[in-house]
Amino acid sequence: CGRRGSLEPPADAASRRDPAVPMVKNEKGREVPDRPFFLDPLL
Amino acid sequence: CQVTPLYGTLPSGGTVRDDTRAIRIEPATTRVGQELRNELIFAFTGGGSAAAEDRYSLRIVLSEHESAVGVEKLADVPAAYFILVRASFVLTEIATGTTVLSGSSFASASYDFSTQRFANLRAKRDAEDRAVKVISDDIRTRIAAHFATAG
Amino acid sequence: QVSTIQEFIDKPSDAEVASDMLVEADELIYDFDNDRVSAVGNVQIYYRGFTLEAGRVTLDRRTNRLIAEGGARLVEPTGNTIEAETINLNDSFRDGFISSLRVRTIERTCFAAEKATRSEGETTVFEDGIYTAYPECVGKDGKPPLWRIKAKKIIHKQSEKMVYYEGARLEFWGTPIAYLPFLSHPDPSVKQKSGLLVPSYVHSDELGFGVTIPYHYVIAPNMDVTFAATPLWRQGLFVQGEWRHRTLNGMYSVNAAGIRQRDPGAFSGTSGDRDFRGSVRTLGEFNINPRWKWGWDVTAVTDRGFIKDYSRENKNDDEAVSSLYLRGIGGRSYFDLSTYKFQVFQEEGTGRNGRTGKNWRNPAAFSQPWRDLQDKQPVVHPVLDYSTVFGKPVAGGELKLGANLTSLTRDTTDAYTVLKKSGGRLTRFRGVSGTFTRTTVEAEWRREIIEPTMGHVVTPFIAFQGDMFNLSNADHNVRRHTRATALTNPAVEPFSNDDAVFRAMPAVGLDYRWPFLISSDWGNQVISPRAQIVSRPDETSIGKLPNEDAQSLVFDDTTLFDRDKFSGFDRTEGGTRANVGLEYNIHAKDGGYISMLAGQSFHLAGRNSYAAPDILNTGAESGLQGDQSDYVGRIYLDTSRGLLIGARGRFDKDDLDPARTELQATAFAGPVVSTVTYAYLRQQPESGILDDREEIQNATNLRVAENWRLFGALRYDLNNRTLVSDGAGIAYDDEGFSMSLAYAQDRSRYDGDPVDRTIFFRFGLRTIGDGQVSTDTLD
């Protein structure tokens, strides 16, 4: 029998992250890079 | 029991707004949550500035449920939709961490079904905003009543 | 007495760091003849993250084995605990056999066996063992648990994280029900593992009986596919596939389903009467940063009825909304840019001669109301919503700015025809074919001033909304028809000939409340009279413009004090209007509360926007069309002991005859949770609704026994005295097993069948297989 659960981040996620960008948890509890976005001034 | 104006001068000299201006509300992560937060910030500060230093923190958990009503035989589509929004809130005093007031409030608003599905999408958005205004009024009145009596 | 008996053990041969073994015991006995040492009396040993507790532990130097007797308990670094009569381990605790043991894993599952041996810390072999998902290994008072797997041998491979069985059989309450010659499943600590998932069973009139067998294939920790084949007795093989992929910053999924129907005739008279039917749905959501995310939700179907006929999750949706969006939320600002496309599930011909009353035929130039339901839906390219509240007060008050851009294209005009009270017919349009764009900016300033001596609360406000409408290739039939109607009916304005129309609506007003607090020891009461007056110029171009986002107008307690009672930007309330009401709230200290509101709205001067017909007669019979509006009110009650009631209504201003009453009540008492929803919507012939609609719904959940619950739901049309839909079911849930059997009947579908019946059964043994193929959840 198999088992179906929630997916993990990609295995190489840690290495592909840019260390300079801090990580923040979003409302679903997932780690998200806090990098600037050109529309940020609107918020 | 005594009858007093809710926003009248309290024995302590100020009004309930001196306390409500010092309430910090947790940032929202959804549109409806932000709508409620903006309404409450206005209710607590009257549009003026917040207190220099926050003395209370308000945390609100929102949930929304939509149900179709007026579905007739062979009609395939409803006559209207109900939006029910439920909010449970906890007001804590930052210095002591104690819970000052907690409770749950709910409100519902309905919108009529149209064959134009885009109109339904926008009507649902408006119904959410209306329900949130009722919840904001209710939470605001409870907190004001608490400060008016606790003072 | 703590002593390290490290010197009695050779240094471990391999390169592991020789950590100390700490022993606590009542007494240490040294037996030099047999070169053994025993710790006796509630012995506790800590060594390399293992904890061993036992009545007596003896270290035999010659065989280098550690024997724990008298009810031993070993807790491994992973958190699994092993309880046994005797444990016989080598010095590094990795190997050794344990007799009559129970291993409780941190995933709250249990292996138990007469004898078990573990070698090289890798393979544990249980002889005559059992495995179950109940942590105590046994049911209540020693009886066998609900289900367990008994096997000659259970082999658990640590590195592979797999459990293999030899000569296994599945037992329910101790009695064998299935022999499983070769069975294996991932060990409980595994989140994702390829393999078959638990089947489920479905039966419905049109589909016949079917068994869904899902197979889950894990490609990588962040990528998997689930296939599900459902051979259906009447319609043949129905296949579903779901691909999920989690990327660095988000996740997307693609769901496809399809069937070559053996008996299309089962759906005769509907769009489902065809050989091949299927749907594809893809969902995606990606975080740009904690404030911004973008994504999509796109559905394509071969025919309208497919999702309602074959899907389990989206059975009672009315349409599939496809969208592509960019959304940002921050502090007090919100940004949403979305495009939409709608796939209607409603069959052609619905409502033609259905119970919802005879729809009048449209003039020949327009498609009939029950035709081209899909082509009448617009493609929205895009709708942009932006709103922000200034952080700092402006002139002591709050300044809010907002913008909205709505641009859409529709191919076929959605017209309907009504019989006017004053005789003759009026054709109105819920959607005009063409491309329409509206760009709106709005601003509102408000300030709530408290008059401290008497507690008056006064809120002056100023608002402005400016709209630029751009209309291109609008349906010339609509222009021609509305021009002709305007000749005979002056209230109706002809649809605009110009390509661009500008509209502005400044407003100034005041909101006044005087809340009184009656405080007593059991709780507070607040009585608050409220009045609001808004003064504005007349609304312009009411009949000239399309109305896409303000079609629903519900006048009730929530819109009573809205400055603009329309539900969208396409209409703006004009003229001078006063809204008055009285609110009464009770908040008891024990959490219960009652909230009541009653009020009325008065049109004082200018043009009553709710009396002037727009392109689709919004507001006709809304209760606001007279100078004096209908009465509106609400009562909310929450006893905080299990009863919640929300009731609202609008009552005619002359004879208090109810025009719209809505009630929602939820009661939970002991084992019962029941929700009742009631709605009465009076007919609005001028808006194309020719019949009263009155309905009562109920959903009840009854906990029958400790883990058993019965559930049922029904929807009854009081106006036509017909049972529209009903269903019932039974379900069992506990720590290790879940089962649900549900039966449903639906008569609302306009699909040629008087009633659609479905039965659905599924069960799941926790950790053995309990996955479900879901079509709309991302994670």
Side-chain angles (χ1 to χ4, degrees):
Chain A
C1 305
R3 184 164 310 139
R4 184 173 192 272
S6 53
L7 295 176
E8 302 299 325
D12 59 356
S15 60
R16 280 164 48 196
R17 286 262 189 253
D18 167 1
V21 175
M23 296 300 287
V24 176
K25 272 210 178 346
N26 71 359
E27 72 276 5
K28 285 188 179 149
R30 282 206 196 112
E31 287 280 308
V32 170
D34 193 354
R35 56 170 179 269
F37 180 57
F38 77 101
L39 287 179
D40 267 338
L42 278 178
L43 298 184
Chain B
C1 70
Q2 3 111 285
V3 182
T4 59
L6 178 58
Y7 292 97
T9 318
L10 298 171
S12 65
T15 72
V16 291
R17 177 167 287 169
D18 306 334
D19 291 316
T20 58
R21 284 178 66 228
I23 296 177
R24 178 191 64 213
I25 308 174
E26 251 187 42
T29 55
T30 61
R31 186 191 75 80
V32 177
Q34 186 184 72
E35 198 66 29
L36 175 60
R37 180 168 185 272
N38 283 345
E39 280 298 318
L40 279 171
I41 289 176
F42 178 72
F44 289 149
T45 61
S49 56
E53 196 230 339
D54 296 330
R55 285 185 281 122
Y56 299 95
S57 123
L58 178 63
R59 218 173 74 78
I60 301 174
V61 176
L62 274 179
S63 70
E64 179 181 330
H65 175 71
E66 179 180 56
S67 57
V69 287
V71 179
E72 295 194 334
K73 218 163 85 125
L74 304 177
D76 236 352
V77 285
Y81 289 97
F82 282 2
I83 295 284
L84 177 69
V85 179
R86 224 185 275 276
S88 31
F89 66 91
V90 176
L91 183 68
T92 48
E93 190 170 20
I94 294 176
T96 59
T98 55
T99 299
V100 169
L101 183 69
S102 71
S104 75
S105 172
F106 73 96
S108 71
S110 64
Y111 62 94
D112 285 342
F113 174 82
S114 158
T115 52
Q116 289 299 319
R117 280 12 181 218
F118 179 61
N120 293 340
L121 215 60
R122 301 304 292 190
K124 172 177 178 179
R125 199 175 191 279
D126 177 69
E128 284 166 347
D129 292 350
R130 286 186 275 135
V132 152
K133 277 208 181 66
V134 172
I135 290 182
S136 162
D137 274 353
D138 181 48
I139 293 180
R140 170 223 177 122
T141 306
R142 292 194 204 198
I143 291 180
H146 168 78
F147 283 126
T149 49
Chain C
Q1 178 200 17
V2 176
S3 92
T4 57
I5 46 174
Q6 183 50 37
E7 63 278 12
F8 285 90
I9 304 170
D10 304 341
K11 288 282 163 301
S13 52
D14 45 37
E16 275 167 20
V17 162
S19 60
D20 288 347
M21 175 188 285
L22 301 173
V23 178
E24 268 182 37
D26 296 349
E27 201 192 351
L28 268 181
I29 306 162
Y30 301 90
D31 173 353
F32 292 102
D33 314 343
N34 309 321
D35 201 355
R36 298 156 63 115
V37 65
S38 311
V40 180
N42 46 62
V43 182
Q44 292 207 326
I45 299 184
Y46 306 95
Y47 181 56
R48 277 217 196 93
F50 285 85
T51 326
L52 176 63
E53 292 156 4
R56 175 190 181 89
V57 173
T58 311
L59 171 68
D60 183 332
R61 281 253 312 126
R62 251 181 256 113
T63 61
N64 219 334
R65 308 245 5 139
L66 207 65
I67 301 127
E69 293 146 327
R73 188 164 177 278
L74 178 68
V75 180
E76 296 178 328
T78 60
N80 296 346
T81 58
I82 303 172
E83 287 161 6
E85 255 319 294
T86 63
I87 297 185
N88 190 320
L89 298 170
N90 73 354
D91 66 335
S92 63
F93 276 17
R94 274 180 313 172
D95 301 346
F97 48 88
I98 306 135
S99 58
S100 76
L101 108 166
R102 284 197 323 205
V103 177
R104 281 206 304 283
T105 67
I106 45 173
E107 283 82 26
R108 302 178 60 73
T109 58
C110 164
F111 294 89
E114 278 314 308
K115 212 150 107 37
T117 58
R118 177 199 297 231
S119 44
E120 305 95 32
E122 156 57 17
T123 328
T124 314
V125 176
F126 301 88
E127 274 127 33
D128 295 318
I130 68 155
Y131 168 72
T132 178
Y134 295 95
E136 308 77 27
C137 285
V138 282
K140 275 203 290 304
D141 45 54
K143 291 209 300 318
L146 186 135
W147 66 267
R148 63 184 182 192
I149 301 175
K150 224 176 194 168
K152 285 271 165 308
K153 266 196 174 168
I154 305 178
I155 303 121
H156 172 244
K157 289 208 179 317
Q158 189 76 23
S159 55
E160 258 179 65
K161 287 188 181 301
M162 277 299 287
V163 181
Y164 300 93
Y165 295 82
E166 282 166 14
R169 60 176 195 258
L170 177 62
E171 286 185 358
F172 270 73
W173 292 296
T175 51
I177 58 152
Y179 289 87
L180 316 154
F182 47 90
L183 168 72
S184 70
H185 62 79
D187 96 19
S189 67
V190 171
K191 295 268 178 311
Q192 281 270 54
K193 195 71 186 173
S194 301
L196 284 174
L197 301 178
V198 176
S200 56
Y201 306 84
V202 67
H203 173 270
S204 83
D205 299 342
E206 286 99 355
L207 308 181
F209 177 81
V211 178
T212 305
I213 302 140
Y215 178 78
H216 181 58
Y217 178 65
V218 180
I219 300 158
N222 64 327
M223 218 185 288
D224 69 15
V225 179
T226 311
F227 300 103
T230 313
L232 290 164
W233 183 260
R234 184 173 181 185
Q235 297 296 358
L237 185 63
F238 172 62
V239 283
Q240 279 170 288
E242 180 177 19
W243 153 275
R244 293 191 310 170
H245 180 200
R246 180 162 172 180
T247 63
L248 197 56
N249 293 323
M251 185 166 170
Y252 71 91
S253 71
V254 180
N255 264 284
I259 184 167
R260 180 166 296 288
Q261 291 186 138
R262 285 214 335 253
D263 179 6
F267 299 99
S268 67
T270 77
S271 56
D273 185 355
R274 48 185 292 154
D275 289 344
F276 176 69
R277 296 179 73 189
S279 76
V280 174
R281 179 181 190 180
T282 169
L283 280 152
E285 186 177 289
F286 299 89
N287 293 98
I288 298 167
N289 62 28
R291 297 166 298 283
W292 291 90
K293 66 181 173 190
W294 71 281
W296 69 80
D297 178 347
V298 175
T299 305
V301 288
T302 54
D303 59 278
R304 298 179 189 186
F306 179 74
I307 289 187
K308 275 185 108 97
D309 291 339
Y310 281 91
S311 141
R312 226 193 104 51
E313 283 81 27
N314 313 81
K315 207 161 198 28
N316 26 39
D317 291 354
D318 300 312
E319 66 275 323
V321 179
S322 297
S323 64
L324 177 66
Y325 62 87
L326 166 67
R327 195 165 303 148
I329 293 185
R332 309 196 64 189
S333 315
Y334 177 78
F335 177 99
D336 183 304
L337 179 66
S338 301
T339 61
Y340 289 106
K341 188 169 186 323
F342 303 92
Q343 168 59 53
V344 165
F345 292 166
Q346 201 181 352
E347 292 293 342
E348 293 286 282
T350 308
R352 170 172 191 172
N353 38 30
R355 272 299 303 130
T356 55
K358 208 163 82 56
N359 275 339
W360 294 94
R361 290 189 66 81
N362 285 332
F366 306 111
S367 149
Q368 295 310 330
W370 51 83
R371 278 279 163 275
D372 308 320
L373 301 176
Q374 179 60 34
D375 303 339
K376 290 174 179 171
Q377 298 305 322
V379 173
V380 183
H381 43 67
V383 55
L384 165 67
D385 285 295
Y386 175 68
S387 72
T388 186
V389 179
F390 277 65
K392 302 235 166 346
V394 171
E398 170 194 84
L399 179 60
K400 195 174 354 182
L401 294 180
N404 175 286
L405 166 76
T406 302
S407 177
L408 55 85
T409 300
R410 174 181 295 106
D411 299 337
T412 311
T413 293
D414 181 358
Y416 70 91
T417 300
V418 293
L419 195 61
K420 293 207 329 293
K421 286 201 183 70
S422 51
R425 294 191 190 167
L426 176 67
T427 298
R428 294 284 80 194
F429 307 92
R430 290 199 185 102
V432 180
S433 74
T435 298
F436 307 114
T437 305
R438 172 188 36 76
T439 313
T440 298
V441 285
E442 64 170 350
E444 180 181 8
W445 175 90
R446 54 182 179 163
R447 174 177 180 180
E448 187 182 86
I449 303 161
I450 292 182
E451 189 281 319
T453 49
M454 292 311 293
H456 299 289
V457 179
V458 182
T459 309
F461 57 84
I462 305 169
F464 173 81
Q465 176 177 336
D467 311 292
M468 170 54 83
F469 286 82
N470 296 89
L471 325 170
S472 62
N473 52 57
D475 181 347
H476 61 275
N477 288 322
V478 170
R479 281 190 167 128
R480 204 178 323 113
H481 181 84
T482 49
R483 206 177 306 121
T485 312
L487 297 179
T488 58
N489 182 341
V492 169
E493 292 173 82
F495 194 76
S496 167
N497 279 330
D498 322 328
D499 297 342
V501 178
F502 177 73
R503 184 183 66 184
M505 181 54 75
V508 63
L510 192 76
D511 188 305
Y512 168 77
R513 307 189 216 201
W514 196 9
F516 274 84
L517 171 65
I518 305 158
S519 59
S520 27
D521 44 23
W522 52 267
N524 296 328
Q525 299 165 73
V526 175
I527 301 176
S528 173
R530 182 174 177 186
Q532 183 187 68
I533 182 157
V534 195
S535 168
R536 292 159 295 216
D538 292 351
E539 183 183 7
T540 55
S541 320
I542 291 179
K544 292 199 175 78
L545 299 167
N547 176 353
E548 300 292 348
D549 74 350
Q551 299 198 0
S552 158
L553 177 60
V554 175
F555 176 44
D556 63 12
D557 61 307
T558 59
T559 37
L560 175 61
F561 289 111
D562 256 0
R563 176 173 49 79
D564 181 334
K565 298 181 179 28
F566 285 114
S567 63
F569 294 102
D570 278 340
R571 290 294 308 274
T572 55
E573 182 181 315
T576 303
R577 180 169 284 275
N579 305 312
V580 292
L582 182 68
E583 189 164 354
Y584 174 60
N585 296 327
I586 305 174
H587 295 296
K589 290 249 179 344
D590 66 5
Y593 90 96
I594 296 175
S595 159
M596 286 185 267
L597 169 75
Q600 199 173 21
S601 181
F602 300 90
H603 174 71
L604 304 176
R607 185 182 189 197
N608 184 348
S609 294
Y610 304 107
D614 71 356
I615 193 73
L616 67 117
N617 248 5
T618 314
E621 293 147 323
S622 67
L624 288 161
Q625 62 278 18
D627 283 350
Q628 205 188 5
S629 81
D630 287 347
Y631 296 101
V632 287
R634 74 153 179 261
I635 296 179
Y636 286 169
L637 163 77
D638 177 355
T639 62
S640 85
R641 278 187 199 76
L643 181 64
L644 211 72
I645 298 178
R648 284 185 307 287
R650 174 164 62 90
F651 305 92
D652 191 271
K653 60 179 184 295
D654 305 322
D655 53 25
L656 286 183
D657 163 41
R660 186 188 188 102
T661 47
E662 298 161 358
L663 179 135
Q664 280 163 303
T666 308
F668 25 94
V672 182
V673 177
S674 186
T675 346
V676 171
T677 309
Y678 166 82
Y680 166 70
L681 312 170
R682 193 172 58 191
Q683 58 171 298
Q684 289 176 291
E686 306 261 329
S687 320
I689 299 161
L690 310 174
D691 256 346
D692 290 355
R693 275 85 23 92
E694 187 176 15
E695 175 195 273
I696 187 154
Q697 281 176 49
N698 172 270
T700 301
N701 202 314
L702 174 65
R703 200 157 43 73
V704 180
E706 213 241 331
N707 300 95
W708 289 94
R709 60 186 171 86
L710 290 173
F711 51 89
L714 65 85
R715 184 193 293 270
Y716 185 77
D717 174 351
L718 292 160
N719 195 33
N720 307 310
R721 270 182 294 287
T722 50
L723 185 59
V724 176
S725 62
D726 59 279
I730 184 162
Y732 176 92
D733 303 281
D734 74 5
E735 174 88 43
F737 178 73
S738 69
M739 178 277 293
S740 79
L741 170 67
Y743 167 77
Q745 288 186 116
D746 180 5
R747 294 172 194 78
S748 67
R749 296 276 321 275
Y750 184 79
D751 62 0
D753 278 338
V755 59
D756 300 334
R757 281 186 291 261
T758 50
I759 302 168
F760 184 75
F761 172 70
R762 65 172 291 281
F763 69 93
L765 308 176
R766 189 169 69 86
T767 70
I768 295 289
D770 48 14
Q772 182 70 3
V773 181
S774 74
T775 53
D776 58 7
T777 50
L778 262 184
D779 45 358

